Amino acid sequence: MDPLEIDEPGRRVLLMGNEAIARGAIEAGVRYCAAYPGSPSSEILASLARTAPRFGHYAEWSTNEKVALEGACGAAYTGLRAMATMKQNGVNVASDILTAMSLAGNPGGLVLVVCDDPGGISSTNEVDTRNYARLADVPLLEPATFQEAKDMVRWAFSLSEELELICMVRSVTRISHARGVVELGPIEKVARTAVMKPEQRYGSLPPCPNHAEVKDKLRRAAEIYESSPFNRYAGPERPELLVVTCGTGWWYSTEAIRMLGVAERVGVLKLGTTWPLPEALLKRHLEGASSVLVIEESDPVLEYNLKALLSKEALRAAAPSRLLGKVTGTVRGAYGPGVGEMNPNLAADAVARALEIEAPSLPKPLRESMQAEIDFEIPKREVAFCPGCPHRASYWVMKNVLRLDGRDGLLIGDIGCYTLGFGRTGYYLSRTMHCMGSAIGFSSGMAKLAGFGFSQPTIAVVGDSTFFHACLPGLVNARYNRSPFLCVVLDNSATAMTGFQPHPGTGKTALGEEAPRLSIESLCAGMGIPVQIVDPFDVPAATRLLYRALQKNELQVVVMRHKCAVLQGREEGLPARRVWVDAEKCIGEQCGCNRFCSAAFGCPALIWDKEKECAAIDEVICSRCGLCAELCPGGAIRITEEEVQP
Amino acid sequence: MTALRKDPFNLIIAGVGGQGNILASQLVAQAALAEGLNATIGETYGVSQRGGSVMSHVRLTAGTPVGPLIPQGEADLLIGFEPIETLQVAMDFGSPQLRVILNPRPVYPISVLSGDLAYPPMERILDLLRGHAADLSTLPATDIAREAGEIRAMNVVMVGALASAGLLPMDKESYLRVIRDQFRGRAREINQRAFETGYEALPSAHA
């Protein structure tokens, strides 16, 4: 049975952090859930969609995060409990409505869950979205454990209703993409009817009185926080050092104290409610603590807020003589303070520095003893397009087209699997890579520079999900302002990078229902933009078409359409054929192809057999797409149609 | 209550995207949970579907759960799905007491396939692990999985090997029950067979 569907309070189950968040919402009786996929947040909405038939809530993949949050706001205006979830980049997209709607409040419980990615493990940045809590004047909760991830989300709905204000819950990769034991709670089964009465009006005008009202709500939040069970102290009565921490910082601090064996000298004040700060609670714990060390992920947000609080007259007496953290450089990683992810070792280093322990006796990793004997380079594992990926074919085509064109044309990249066009298997073609839809805006600007001597043609490369998420306004802009560039939409029929979620072009919803399939080509045609479609696996046809398109000095769209190989494999299994290397025909280094298959084409399934001096195929990962057989200059890669054991 | 040799007991599974790290870590954690232990799993996978490194930290405790990241030098057991991934994880997280069970089949990084870099000689990798860790066993888990009927069940073969190594207290039946719970039909059959074969294969695999 799906652990999220178990209705047995007290039952202990192993949940992914994102599942725990979803379960918290289910226990709170959430009715409306919306999200745009993004690591490490995607599994929250996926879990809610999966369990929607059982609990009767609504769940959708929205076209972008702003729409997701707006949909959730709409539901909260009718009195329902609603939630929007996203990764850190998504909050930037949703920030316009977040900073506006907080001024007017909401009657139904409304929760924004953000999953930050310190260290940018699966992201293009490591933005700390806690800064948005202060920017938008909304209460902030930070779970430190899987149990808290569930319990806090559940509580955030009641808090939101009590304050009539959206609440933000900030998770991080090490909670969202980790698993642990969670004790389930009861599921709220209050029937709520959605209605918006004539007297209900929500607008941010006039801003100042509304802003003042939000500040009052935050003062009330701080009062409520004073007795929250999510804030707790553990350690000696009068510690030599007080660690103030939140989120995963609590785990690492606790571990650091164990590692250093300093449990009798160091106390830990864990805060779960981090904006606004509970003043009396902090005063109580800080009074008499001469040294305080703040340990948290990413930016020194808690640290700055604590410093600001201690500047108040009423708290000045509680200010410690030493307040250490990232500002003082006491907490720092390989890239310096405030950069990169925290871990137990960095926390231990910081605690040791704060206690002035010169050489703490910590276990030495084997690296120290092994290093002297390592007389070879360990190759770095770069990420690559998967075997059979249609993007490899598309990039191969674009590489050749740009070369044939000969005008130093630029490939302007975007966000999705094809972001890997920045790397080796995309032949390092992408020249920019920032945020969803920016390829269109950048190209729109560059293509207007002919009057300044700029003559390089641009290809803006975006994906299908990205097209719907953030490309439409840019394309409208380019059409309106007559910006002449070629937009290539790599349509692999999924939001592949984040786990194959459906989008408006797939004809499926999050709940697995049929949906009208929005056609990228019809949308473009509707804007009056010439549009053509080609299968990148038909390399000669795709090359011809793209080359001709690039010669025209006008805005055009080419959709390169071929289903994601991983998705294809999941839906239909591997094709009944064998792709193999004819060792008689592969003459290796003597061929003159410069080992085209493994060295140039860059498919991870094409390997080089050193002993036989001949190409080979790694059958474990080969998707049997057969493109290499078409492209091999020696005709040495063969396809045999036959049943093969998977 | 099942007794752990060390508390927390820190296990790492090292591999690359697509090798089934996450399923393997969950099988171990679920089996531990079924025997009354606590488990925390920290996964590092990023955009690993696309051939990147994957590392799962599995931490078992009898009492209060611990955090998802193992401190440097505190790993007790390392299950390696890929040699250079295993070597690097051993360097960062292994202690001299580390035990290693390795599938010595390389998955070549594209910098190696392109000819820019060389894959280190396998004997050197094995020598380093043998010389610095407390124990190394190698197991041709990919070949065993192929014989079991599904080459991609290599991860479950390795879990079988881990279960028979006598380092974790969980009963063989606990793992099998988790496999029966998680799979249906042919997948259940193949994974059971993969687990059993891995379980039988380890004792003869001392490197």
Side-chain angles (χ1 to χ4, degrees):
Chain A
M1 188 185 189
D2 190 330
L4 294 182
E5 297 193 351
I6 297 172
D7 195 1
E8 268 177 62
R11 174 86 172 264
R12 287 155 41 84
V13 293
L14 187 71
L15 293 184
M16 182 190 219
N18 280 342
E19 291 176 317
I21 289 168
R23 172 71 187 199
I26 290 168
E27 290 184 5
V30 75
R31 299 286 85 191
Y32 187 100
C33 320
Y36 182 79
S39 304
S41 73
S42 313
E43 296 82 4
I44 305 172
L45 196 280
S47 303
L48 288 161
R50 192 174 83 209
T51 51
R54 166 82 171 77
F55 299 110
H57 54 251
Y58 172 77
E60 75 167 36
W61 288 121
S62 307
T63 43
N64 67 35
E65 294 85 352
K66 180 170 182 281
V67 178
L69 181 55
E70 286 163 345
C73 285
Y77 290 148
T78 73
L80 298 182
R81 290 190 161 183
M83 179 164 86
T85 59
M86 54 198 65
K87 73 178 294 177
Q88 79 273 14
N89 308 62
V91 190
N92 299 328
V93 178
S95 61
D96 205 359
I97 184 59
L98 177 64
T99 50
M101 67 78 56
S102 60
L103 290 177
N106 47 277
L110 179 59
V111 178
L112 167 63
V113 175
V114 184
C115 303
D116 282 359
D117 188 15
I121 297 169
S122 51
S123 306
T124 52
N125 65 31
E126 54 167 348
V127 162
D128 189 331
T129 58
R130 293 180 299 169
N131 291 298
Y132 274 109
R134 214 166 68 178
L135 190 73
D137 288 309
V138 300
L140 173 69
L141 307 177
E142 289 186 69
T145 65
F146 309 103
Q147 186 70 44
E148 281 193 350
K150 175 184 84 62
D151 295 343
M152 267 186 189
V153 169
R154 184 193 169 104
W155 183 60
F157 284 96
S158 343
L159 182 65
S160 169
E161 276 164 13
E162 190 171 346
L163 299 170
E164 297 191 27
L165 180 60
I166 183 171
C167 282
M168 189 167 151
V169 178
R170 185 233 196 182
S171 176
V172 293
T173 304
R174 298 302 175 188
I175 290 191
S176 283
H177 276 185
R179 283 182 164 81
V181 179
V182 174
E183 190 178 309
L184 301 178
I187 294 168
E188 189 180 304
K189 294 177 186 99
V190 181
R192 290 170 206 254
T193 309
V195 63
M196 192 153 163
K197 294 183 187 128
E199 67 274 19
Q200 282 180 271
R201 302 178 82 213
Y202 303 98
S204 44
L205 290 175
C208 291
N210 278 321
H211 198 185
E213 203 176 309
V214 185
K215 299 284 184 196
D216 277 340
K217 288 180 181 179
L218 286 180
R219 273 188 282 276
R220 270 212 334 274
E223 281 163 26
I224 296 167
Y225 286 176
E226 295 290 353
S227 57
S228 164
F230 298 123
N231 303 324
R232 55 178 187 267
Y233 174 79
E237 206 163 306
R238 293 192 66 82
E240 189 182 324
L241 175 72
L242 176 68
V243 173
V244 180
T245 185
C246 59
T248 47
W250 172 75
W251 254 331
Y252 306 145
S253 305
T254 311
E255 188 111 37
I257 290 165
R258 175 196 61 78
M259 288 160 75
L260 295 164
V262 291
E264 274 155 33
R265 301 168 66 187
V266 185
V268 178
L269 176 62
K270 183 199 92 72
L271 295 178
T273 65
T274 46
W275 182 254
L277 288 174
E279 206 173 301
L281 176 111
L282 280 162
K283 183 165 181 261
R284 212 162 51 241
H285 285 282
L286 291 175
E287 264 167 356
S290 58
S291 284
V292 170
L293 171 68
V294 184
I295 294 184
E296 62 190 311
E297 286 288 6
S298 317
D299 288 348
V301 173
L302 175 60
E303 192 177 332
Y304 283 150
N305 292 340
L306 189 59
K307 276 178 184 288
L309 193 69
L310 290 169
S311 69
K312 284 175 77 168
E313 190 56 46
L315 273 93
R316 209 156 292 166
S321 53
R322 293 200 310 163
L323 178 50
L324 309 169
K326 288 177 176 166
V327 177
T328 54
T330 315
V331 182
R332 59 175 192 260
Y335 299 96
V339 185
E341 195 188 20
M342 284 298 296
N343 64 44
N345 286 90
L346 295 182
D349 290 347
V351 171
R353 271 182 212 118
L355 289 173
E356 292 168 357
I357 301 173
E358 283 293 321
S361 66
L362 295 175
K364 301 256 178 293
L366 290 179
R367 179 177 294 277
E368 294 190 12
S369 58
M370 276 183 173
Q371 201 72 63
E373 292 172 41
I374 296 184
D375 48 5
F376 50 83
E377 185 178 350
I378 303 177
K380 204 174 151 284
R381 200 171 288 278
E382 299 163 66
V383 286
F385 289 134
C386 303
C389 177
H391 296 339
R392 177 178 293 100
S394 297
Y395 272 83
W396 182 253
V397 167
M398 291 189 283
K399 175 185 161 158
N400 288 321
V401 165
L402 287 171
R403 186 71 60 85
L404 288 167
D405 176 77
R407 289 178 288 166
D408 285 335
L410 305 170
L411 194 153
I412 304 298
D414 213 285
I415 300 299
C417 282
Y418 51 94
T419 296
L420 302 188
F422 223 71
R424 188 187 291 266
T425 58
Y427 317 114
Y428 305 105
L429 284 179
S430 296
R431 305 290 289 272
T432 68
M433 180 258 290
H434 289 296
C435 70
M436 300 282 284
S438 57
I440 306 287
F442 290 157
S443 304
S444 194
M446 286 170 151
K448 292 300 285 184
L449 304 180
F452 302 94
F454 190 71
S455 58
Q456 293 163 269
T458 50
I459 305 181
V461 177
V462 302
D464 43 345
S465 193
T466 304
F467 180 85
F468 294 109
H469 177 286
C471 294
L472 292 169
L475 277 175
V476 170
N477 180 74
R479 170 75 176 141
Y480 168 54
N481 289 302
R482 294 182 187 278
S483 191
F485 63 92
L486 173 59
C487 169
V488 169
V489 183
L490 301 181
D491 180 0
N492 61 357
S493 305
T495 319
M497 193 59 143
T498 51
F500 317 104
Q501 294 82 3
H503 62 65
T506 60
K508 279 267 184 280
T509 68
L511 299 171
E513 290 162 355
E514 296 290 321
R517 208 190 132 268
L518 271 77
S519 149
I520 294 169
E521 50 275 28
S522 304
L523 283 166
C524 294
M527 290 185 232
I529 303 171
V531 55
Q532 300 177 82
I533 303 158
V534 71
D535 182 347
F537 270 55
D538 187 348
V539 172
T543 308
R544 260 196 313 275
L545 187 147
L546 222 59
Y547 177 79
R548 284 183 189 145
L550 199 60
Q551 305 318 303
K552 293 182 194 158
N553 190 31
E554 64 171 345
L555 177 66
Q556 296 162 84
V557 171
V558 171
V559 182
M560 299 185 86
R561 181 169 288 150
H562 195 102
K563 193 179 261 186
C564 164
V566 177
L567 193 60
Q568 174 89 23
R570 281 189 192 179
E571 287 174 359
E572 291 164 37
L574 289 170
R577 51 150 86 165
R578 202 156 74 86
V579 182
W580 55 285
V581 176
D582 185 341
E584 303 278 295
K585 281 201 172 171
C586 178
I587 50 171
E589 305 279 13
Q590 287 107 57
C591 172
C593 74
N594 195 22
R595 280 176 47 195
F596 171 81
C597 58
S598 50
F601 188 52
C603 174
L606 291 165
I607 55 181
W608 183 252
D609 189 327
K610 252 194 192 159
E611 280 162 29
K612 294 190 193 141
E613 294 199 326
C614 164
I617 286 169
D618 183 342
E619 56 176 322
V620 180
I621 57 174
C622 175
S623 74
R624 305 180 191 167
C625 77
L627 188 60
C628 56
E630 263 180 58
L631 296 179
C632 169
I637 304 179
R638 309 274 297 274
I639 302 173
T640 313
E641 302 297 331
E642 61 178 296
E643 285 297 331
V644 191
Q645 189 217 326
Chain B
M1 175 75 69
T2 309
L4 287 163
R5 297 160 68 99
K6 193 177 145 277
D7 198 333
F9 188 92
N10 296 323
L11 156 73
I12 303 184
I13 303 174
V16 301
Q19 287 191 311
N21 261 60
I22 291 170
L23 171 66
S25 65
Q26 279 200 69
L27 287 182
V28 177
Q30 293 281 15
L33 217 62
E35 297 204 10
L37 295 166
N38 267 317
T40 306
I41 310 175
E43 317 266 18
T44 304
Y45 46 89
V47 291
S48 59
Q49 183 73 55
R50 288 94 203 144
S53 306
V54 186
M55 173 171 67
S56 307
H57 289 197
V58 184
R59 311 189 71 188
L60 305 180
T61 50
T64 318
V66 286
L69 292 181
I70 297 170
Q72 285 181 10
E74 291 201 26
D76 302 301
L77 174 60
L78 174 55
I79 305 298
F81 288 177
E82 205 285 336
I84 54 171
E85 295 303 319
T86 306
L87 177 64
Q88 291 176 97
V89 170
M91 288 168 76
D92 285 337
F93 294 96
S95 71
Q97 288 76 46
L98 179 75
R99 289 163 180 271
V100 185
I101 304 173
L102 172 68
N103 174 9
R105 183 183 192 275
V107 176
Y108 297 109
I110 47 167
S111 53
V112 169
L113 295 176
S114 69
D116 288 358
L117 291 172
Y119 197 91
M122 193 57 58
E123 261 320 302
R124 295 287 298 118
I125 297 174
L126 298 180
D127 281 347
L128 277 160
L129 289 169
R130 216 178 273 128
H132 293 266
D135 188 63
L136 169 72
S137 307
T138 59
L139 192 70
T142 308
D143 300 330
I144 294 173
R146 185 190 286 112
E147 281 159 35
E150 171 59 65
I151 202 160
R152 276 171 280 199
M154 178 277 287
N155 56 344
V156 181
V157 171
M158 292 296 281
V159 174
L162 144 81
S164 71
L167 298 165
L168 286 172
M170 291 91 78
D171 202 60
K172 180 183 175 188
E173 187 48 36
S174 297
Y175 294 91
L176 283 167
R177 203 172 300 128
V178 178
I179 292 174
R180 283 197 297 272
D181 282 351
Q182 297 221 339
F183 297 98
R184 299 274 168 276
R186 180 173 177 267
R188 180 192 282 178
E189 212 178 288
I190 282 170
N191 281 310
Q192 276 176 326
R193 197 155 59 228
F195 178 87
E196 293 278 6
T197 337
Y199 194 90
E200 299 305 324
L202 187 74
S204 55
H206 239 256

